[in-house]
Amino acid sequence: MTAASIVQTRDLVETVVASFVAGVGVTAIYSAAIWGGARFVDLNRSGRPLAAGFAAALGIAALVGTAAAVTIGIVVMTHK
């Protein structure tokens, strides 16, 4: 019996790639949320309400994206 017949290499590679993409993607989206919140505070204190509003909108959209990614991950895990 060879290792190739025990381990499904294709499935293993797909899992590693999906985990890497999800990990880096969710981290990047969440960091955009933090950046948007920080820029909102800075721009709001500087008296630039329009730019602060755009930064807040980016932060909120990134938080929604993070929550959606986490929710999708939980749904996928519970259905397998």
Side-chain angles (χ1 to χ4, degrees), residues 6 13-14 17 19-22 28-29 41 46 53 55 57 62 70 73 77-78:
I6 297 172
V13 170
E14 285 179 5
V17 170
S19 298
F20 180 76
V21 169
I29 292 171
V41 171
S46 298
V70 169
M77 285 190 303
T78 57

Side-chain angles (χ1 to χ4, degrees), residues 39-52:
R39 290 296 297 163
F40 168 74
V41 171
D42 289 341
L43 292 169
N44 199 28
R45 286 183 183 166
S46 298
R48 298 177 61 194
L50 184 62

Side-chain angles (χ1 to χ4, degrees), residues 33-75:
I34 293 171
W35 182 84
R39 290 296 297 163
F40 168 74
V41 171
D42 289 341
L43 292 169
N44 199 28
R45 286 183 183 166
S46 298
R48 298 177 61 194
L50 184 62
F54 283 124
L58 173 71
I60 291 169
L63 279 177
V64 169
T66 302
V70 169
T71 303
I72 290 169
I74 291 171
V75 168

